[in-house]
Amino acid sequence: MKIRIAEYCGFCYGVKRAVDMAYKLAEANEASGTLGPLIHNPQLIEDLNTKGVPCRESLDEFQAGETVVFRSHGVGPDVYEAAHAKNLTILDATCPNVKAAQKKGQALAEAGYLPVIIGEKNHPEVKSIVQWAGKHAIVIECIKDIGNVPLVDKYGVLIQTTFELAKFEEILAALQKERSGEYKIEKTICLATSKRQKAALKLADEVDAFVVIGGRNSANTRHLYELVAEHCKRAYHIETASELNEEMFKNCQNIGITAGASTPDRIIKEAIRVMENMESFESMLEQSLEDAHVYPGKIVKATVIQIGKDEVYVDFGYMKEGAIAFSQWSNEAPEILAQTIKIGDEVEAKVIPGTSKDDFIRLSKIKAEQDAAWNYVADLAEGEKRRATVKVLRIIKNKMKNIVGLAVAVEGVEGFMPASHVELRRVEDFSDYIGKELEAEVIEVDTAKKRLVVSRRDLLRSEKEAKAQAWRDAKEARIQAAKEARTAAEEAAYASVEEGQTVTGKVVRIADFGLFVEVGQGLVGLVHNTELSWDRNVKAEDAAKVDDEVTVLVKKIDRENRRVALSIKATQEDPWLTEAVAFKEGMVVEGTVERFLPFGAIVKLADKVEGLVHVSEIAETRVEKPEDILEIGQNVKVKVIKVDLKHKKIGLSIVKAVKEAEKAEYSSFINDKPELTLDLKEQLEGLNN
């Protein structure tokens, strides 16, 4: 029997530091004690007590001047204050990793995050972190606790230093799914804890039996055992070597050992010495057999010679007859077996332990069938997984009564399905699975260890992905069909209208920048604010309401960018043109000075029509600024010197209007005085021009 010790095992730095501090205090022979158990190991706590460092449950048990040792799991800030108030000397043995978690919890609370500690609610370390993180801190031990977490904007997440990392990540993923918000995650798990767990898992796959040593009240030891039990059927959690016995290791060649962070080296060494002194159980059986040709594990052919009350007697050509208990014949009820078994029936059976102490050689038909089945399934998982239908037999629990998986029947062989491989989600109650047939994959076969492991996880994941892919394909097909239909409809809609066409449409949406109007067969175009009306002050919400019908001109169709520009203004008569046509070049009219420009004055001629008097047309003399000559609101006579209907511009002249007036006056005078000579009349006209 070979004993193998996990690479990382026993005291971690924080525990070793605390223990060293306590023993040095014991050597100083000072009045002292620990506030609660220093670490989770009853044997070490008792040893410290005998050396003068007892475990006390309350500060009330200490006298002023004594030394109080704060345990490795840490305490809250109130305890520090109370110890100082009582004039106690504090020896702080808090694990540095726990101390860091306490500070991070406090910092998260001060930064406005809701502190969420993932760990065991009743663990002293978790309680100390909660006290530092404040009254709003929440502890989550399992996924169902997420319902107690309030809805806030910011979450600060910490982890118990000895908590299982995989379980933490599973709970964290569920928390982030059910509680959205900003997350700040502090992975405060102890690195030594993580290394210890990984080393134990690696060794568990390589041994026949595994022993986890440590206090049963130790969280990290308990987590170690739970992890190992999922990978090694024969896993044991012990506190001391006195719990070991030969039955634990019968038929075992390789034994694995690990220990929790609170387990002293002397306890580990003692357990190793006990196991090294044990004799192989199988060799003891072989020595007790009367005949070297009959030994446990041998397959024999036998004939039924008698049917007893609870067993079947057979002859297999040996000096002693064989006996097969009903429980070793079949899983059927004894009353049914008694009616189906007949004298003379031939059967293959396997020699099992107990032979030398009975009058009969003990045999098992079930184990012989299992061996035959093992020969059949030996190559099931050679290099690749194989799909198989399995039947769930029962639920498997560890010594702590925690469910570790399911026993299943595979091709006549009993196999194991880890709890985490039954479904993709966490399952709390497995009772509904008993008796059911499930599709699974064989992921490990070890005939030497009689180990057969199956899993549904990858199979379910593949099925889930296949369904998801089918759903995505169907969705993509629907989107593509809708896109093609929409494209066809759009093409038809674009074909139903042409640029320059005036059509009636319905307002479907009003935006700050214009109206969206449906024209043609579902085609929607935009009437920009600049195209709503000739009056630039008109806004979209004033121009029309949703569902109103409006007449629009199709200004531009951009098929490439799927845009249609529309205009309501273009369908209306330009009020400027309506009034401007009344003004012809050469006319002298009256107007009102509206405003000034650096190069002239704007004169209002009608309600919608204005004209420009250039600075050179204001007076005969040079004018620097129009306001030097004119005033706002002043009525002036102007001559229309230019009309540009295309660009909506009218040029005016005050100078020429004055000359027109003077000319009219002279002309009137000349007409009234016929005695003036023609030469004088022409001269006057020349002056006016």
Side-chain angles (χ1 to χ4, degrees):
M1 185 168 66
K2 183 178 180 181
I3 299 173
R4 300 173 61 186
I5 303 174
E7 182 178 359
Y8 297 97
C9 174
F11 276 177
C12 66
Y13 165 74
V15 170
K16 187 176 186 304
R17 172 178 172 272
V19 171
D20 289 346
M21 292 171 70
Y23 276 110
K24 286 181 181 178
L25 183 63
E27 292 173 3
N29 201 24
E30 297 179 2
S32 61
T34 65
L35 183 60
L38 181 70
I39 62 174
H40 279 152
N41 186 273
Q43 292 75 32
L44 187 139
I45 300 305
E46 180 59 30
D47 187 51
L48 281 174
N49 184 51
T50 61
K51 287 180 170 57
V53 186
C55 174
R56 299 173 182 174
E57 296 301 324
S58 169
L59 288 177
D60 295 336
E61 300 178 37
F62 289 83
Q63 300 298 321
E66 289 187 330
T67 298
V68 56
V69 183
F70 286 164
R71 64 200 302 179
S72 62
H73 302 107
V75 296
D78 293 345
V79 181
Y80 284 89
E81 293 179 7
H84 285 302
K86 198 164 184 177
N87 197 26
L88 299 177
T89 300
I90 296 175
L91 184 61
D92 195 348
T94 304
C95 170
N97 290 315
V98 175
K99 181 77 74 175
Q102 292 173 343
K103 291 181 179 179
K104 287 179 179 179
Q106 184 181 32
L108 287 171
E110 292 174 351
Y113 291 87
L114 173 68
V116 179
I117 299 97
I118 298 179
E120 298 178 48
K121 296 177 182 177
N122 295 319
H123 195 281
E125 175 198 321
V126 174
K127 290 181 178 180
S128 77
I129 296 173
V130 169
Q131 290 168 354
W132 285 94
K135 62 181 180 180
H136 298 297
I138 297 290
V139 179
I140 298 178
E141 189 168 341
C142 57
I143 290 177
K144 66 180 181 181
D145 291 337
I146 294 175
N148 299 327
V149 179
L151 295 171
V152 296
D153 295 329
K154 299 166 65 176
Y155 297 92
V157 183
L158 302 100
I159 178 175
Q160 177 184 336
T161 61
T162 56
F163 204 67
E164 183 183 341
L165 183 59
K167 189 175 179 181
F168 163 75
E169 291 175 343
E170 180 184 5
I171 294 173
L172 176 61
L175 174 66
Q176 290 177 315
K177 182 178 180 182
E178 295 187 27
R179 293 290 186 272
S180 60
E182 178 187 341
Y183 277 82
K184 187 171 184 179
I185 300 166
E186 301 284 2
K187 287 192 176 181
T188 47
I189 189 170
C190 175
L191 183 60
T193 298
S194 177
K195 288 182 177 180
R196 186 182 295 105
Q197 291 173 353
K198 290 179 180 178
L201 284 176
K202 182 178 183 297
L203 184 57
D205 288 328
E206 301 171 358
V207 297
D208 306 313
F210 207 112
V211 178
V212 181
I213 309 172
R216 289 190 169 83
N217 59 341
S218 168
N220 73 81
T221 304
R222 188 166 61 253
H223 291 319
L224 266 180
Y225 171 71
E226 291 170 356
L227 286 170
V228 166
E230 289 188 10
H231 290 257
C232 183
K233 281 187 176 181
R234 300 174 70 173
Y236 306 100
H237 181 182
I238 66 169
E239 280 193 355
T240 64
S242 62
E243 300 175 48
L244 296 170
N245 61 71
E246 293 177 347
E247 286 293 321
M248 291 180 174
F249 310 113
K250 64 181 181 181
N251 301 324
C252 294
Q253 299 298 320
N254 292 286
I255 311 298
I257 290 181
T258 190
S262 302
T263 308
D265 290 348
R266 59 180 178 80
I267 294 180
I268 301 172
K269 292 175 181 178
E270 183 182 356
I272 294 172
R273 281 197 302 270
V274 170
M275 285 188 283
E276 286 177 340
N277 291 330
M278 287 182 180
E279 291 187 284
S280 169
F281 183 74
E282 289 182 316
S283 65
M284 292 169 60
L285 280 176
E286 289 188 18
Q287 291 173 10
S288 67
L289 289 175
E290 297 177 4
D291 193 315
H293 296 293
V294 177
Y295 53 87
K298 183 175 182 178
I299 304 297
V300 299
K301 290 186 178 180
T303 303
V304 177
I305 57 175
Q306 186 180 345
I307 302 171
K309 182 180 179 181
D310 53 10
E311 58 188 359
V312 179
Y313 302 99
V314 298
D315 176 23
F316 61 101
Y318 184 60
M319 64 180 65
K320 287 185 179 181
E321 294 171 345
I324 305 176
F326 281 173
S327 61
Q328 292 295 325
W329 185 281
S330 172
N331 292 323
E332 293 186 82
E335 56 271 18
I336 298 176
L337 284 176
Q339 296 176 4
T340 57
I341 302 173
K342 300 290 187 294
I343 295 175
D345 286 351
E346 292 186 350
V347 62
E348 281 194 349
K350 182 178 182 178
V351 180
I352 59 176
T355 299
S356 62
K357 297 180 181 179
D358 296 327
D359 293 333
F360 302 94
I361 303 297
R362 291 292 165 183
L363 304 174
S364 171
K365 175 175 174 288
I366 289 178
K367 291 186 181 298
E369 291 172 345
Q370 288 178 343
D371 283 357
W374 274 108
N375 292 332
Y376 176 75
V377 301
D379 60 346
L380 282 183
E382 289 293 330
E384 61 182 40
K385 300 174 184 178
R386 176 186 165 187
R387 190 162 178 163
T389 300
V390 305
K391 183 175 182 179
V392 179
L393 303 177
R394 63 186 181 281
I395 297 171
I396 299 177
K397 298 183 180 181
N398 57 23
K399 284 188 176 181
M400 304 300 294
K401 304 300 182 183
N402 296 319
I403 296 173
V404 295
L406 301 175
V408 296
V410 186
E411 305 282 359
V413 171
E414 182 174 315
F416 174 66
M417 183 184 296
S420 59
H421 288 248
V422 177
E423 297 288 351
L424 293 178
R425 56 178 174 80
R426 182 181 178 86
V427 178
E428 299 292 342
D429 184 4
F430 288 91
S431 55
D432 290 341
Y433 288 84
I434 298 176
K436 284 187 176 180
E437 288 191 346
L438 306 173
E439 289 299 311
E441 290 179 321
V442 178
I443 60 173
E444 182 184 347
V445 177
D446 189 332
T447 55
K449 296 180 182 179
K450 293 295 187 285
R451 177 180 174 86
L452 175 63
V453 183
V454 300
S455 169
R456 300 179 71 221
R457 192 163 58 188
D458 289 345
L459 192 63
L460 292 174
R461 189 177 288 119
S462 297
E463 291 176 354
K464 182 179 180 180
E465 179 57 32
K467 289 180 181 178
Q469 187 59 49
W471 183 85
R472 288 193 293 268
D473 291 344
K475 180 181 178 181
E476 184 63 31
R478 291 194 301 271
I479 293 173
Q480 185 61 30
K483 184 177 180 180
E484 292 175 357
R486 186 167 59 250
T487 300
E490 288 178 350
E491 290 299 327
Y494 279 111
S496 66
V497 295
E498 296 179 358
E499 289 185 2
Q501 183 180 0
T502 299
V503 296
T504 300
K506 183 173 72 173
V507 177
V508 294
R509 186 160 70 91
I510 299 174
D512 292 339
F513 49 84
L515 301 176
F516 287 93
V517 179
E518 182 180 358
V519 295
Q521 300 179 7
L523 188 65
V524 176
L526 173 66
V527 180
H528 193 268
N529 284 339
T530 57
E531 296 295 329
L532 291 172
S533 171
W534 292 102
D535 184 351
R536 294 186 178 182
N537 295 321
V538 174
K539 297 181 180 179
E541 60 266 25
D542 300 328
K545 304 298 181 187
V546 174
D547 293 333
D548 282 358
E549 287 193 350
V550 292
T551 301
V552 295
L553 174 73
V554 180
K555 291 187 65 179
K556 185 177 181 181
I557 298 175
D558 185 349
R559 285 180 169 80
E560 182 178 350
N561 295 306
R562 299 296 182 185
R563 293 177 182 174
V564 177
L566 305 174
S567 174
I568 294 176
K569 183 173 73 174
T571 65
Q572 301 170 346
E573 187 175 1
D574 187 346
W576 188 89
L577 290 176
T578 302
E579 294 184 1
V581 294
F583 299 93
K584 308 294 183 182
E585 290 184 11
M587 293 177 61
V588 176
V589 296
E590 288 189 359
T592 304
V593 178
E594 285 286 301
R595 60 187 181 280
F596 298 122
L597 299 176
F599 48 84
I602 300 298
V603 176
K604 186 174 183 180
L605 303 177
D607 185 36
K608 303 291 182 181
V609 180
E610 295 175 340
L612 172 67
V613 180
H614 192 268
V615 69
S616 61
E617 297 290 338
I618 293 176
E620 288 282 357
T621 60
R622 179 179 177 81
V623 177
E624 294 294 333
K625 295 187 293 183
E627 52 264 42
D628 292 342
I629 304 297
L630 302 173
E631 294 180 358
I632 300 297
Q634 179 181 346
N635 291 326
V636 293
K637 285 190 176 183
V638 293
K639 181 177 180 179
V640 180
I641 59 176
K642 184 178 181 181
V643 177
D644 185 350
L645 296 178
K646 181 178 180 181
H647 296 97
K648 293 187 177 181
K649 292 181 179 180
I650 295 180
L652 305 175
S653 174
I654 295 175
V655 172
K656 288 183 172 56
V658 172
K659 288 183 178 182
E660 284 292 329
E662 291 176 352
K663 181 180 177 180
E665 183 180 347
Y666 292 143
S667 297
S668 174
F669 177 78
I670 292 172
N671 290 334
D672 293 338
K673 306 292 182 179
E675 66 272 11
L676 293 176
T677 64
L678 180 61
D679 290 339
L680 180 60
K681 180 180 178 181
E682 290 176 353
Q683 290 175 14
L684 289 173
E685 287 179 350
L687 288 173
N688 288 333
N689 292 328

